[in-house]
Amino acid sequence: MGKFPPLWAEWNGRYRDVVRRYWKGDDGQLQELGYRLTGSSDLYQRDGRHPTASINFVTAHDGFTLRDLVSYSSKHNDANLENNNDGANDNHSENYGVEGDTDDPGLNALRDRQERNLLTTLLLSQGFP
């Protein structure tokens, strides 16, 4: 990341990881989150690029969905017969006490709120969502 010339934009994996860790409740994320929310200047401004060089995301085509991110602590890709070897193992996800779907209204409300927190962070960050 941060190696392309001006006018190029890049998927910002550091943004994804920090935002996930922050909303999961990991300690020590605030300073790093500040850089990510303001366009990752530590990655892009040294060569004159603007915050628009950062393509911000919290989920992508090759990993957990937004609901998975707040419902599972680890991946469960057993149905595709690849022995759970596909996808990343370090998803910075949290199940909040129950792995997978639940009928608990309080837990579902917490998960819904965390999804909104993640999306709101994404939409209010400098860069491209």
Side-chain angles (χ1 to χ4, degrees), residues 83-94:
N83 297 319
N84 209 29
N85 289 318
D86 58 330
N89 290 321
D90 190 13
N91 286 296
H92 308 293
S93 59
E94 178 59 50

Side-chain angles (χ1 to χ4, degrees), residues 1-3 10 12 14-15 18 31-51 54 56 126:
M1 261 184 328
K3 303 285 189 217
E10 301 176 65
N12 191 339
R14 286 180 65 179
Y15 177 94
V18 169
Q31 180 177 355
E32 180 88 4
L33 181 66
Y35 278 115
R36 303 308 142 229
L37 294 177
T38 57
S40 296
S41 62
D42 58 325
L43 299 176
Y44 302 117
Q45 280 188 344
R46 67 178 169 263
D47 61 0
R49 294 178 358 173
H50 300 282
S54 179
N56 302 329
Q126 290 186 4

Side-chain angles (χ1 to χ4, degrees), residues 42-110:
D42 58 325
L43 299 176
Y44 302 117
Q45 280 188 344
R46 67 178 169 263
D47 61 0
R49 294 178 358 173
H50 300 282
T52 54
S54 179
I55 300 174
N56 302 329
F57 63 104
V58 292
T59 61
H61 65 280
D62 60 351
F64 276 10
T65 65
L66 188 60
R67 191 58 176 190
D68 291 344
L69 197 57
V70 298
S71 300
Y72 296 95
S73 288
S74 61
K75 64 183 181 172
H76 299 271
N77 297 338
D78 300 319
N80 64 8
L81 304 178
E82 293 183 12
N83 297 319
N84 209 29
N85 289 318
D86 58 330
N89 290 321
D90 190 13
N91 286 296
H92 308 293
S93 59
E94 178 59 50
N95 67 18
Y96 302 100
V98 175
E99 190 76 355
D101 294 332
T102 181
D103 293 329
D104 181 325
L107 183 54
N108 282 324
L110 171 62

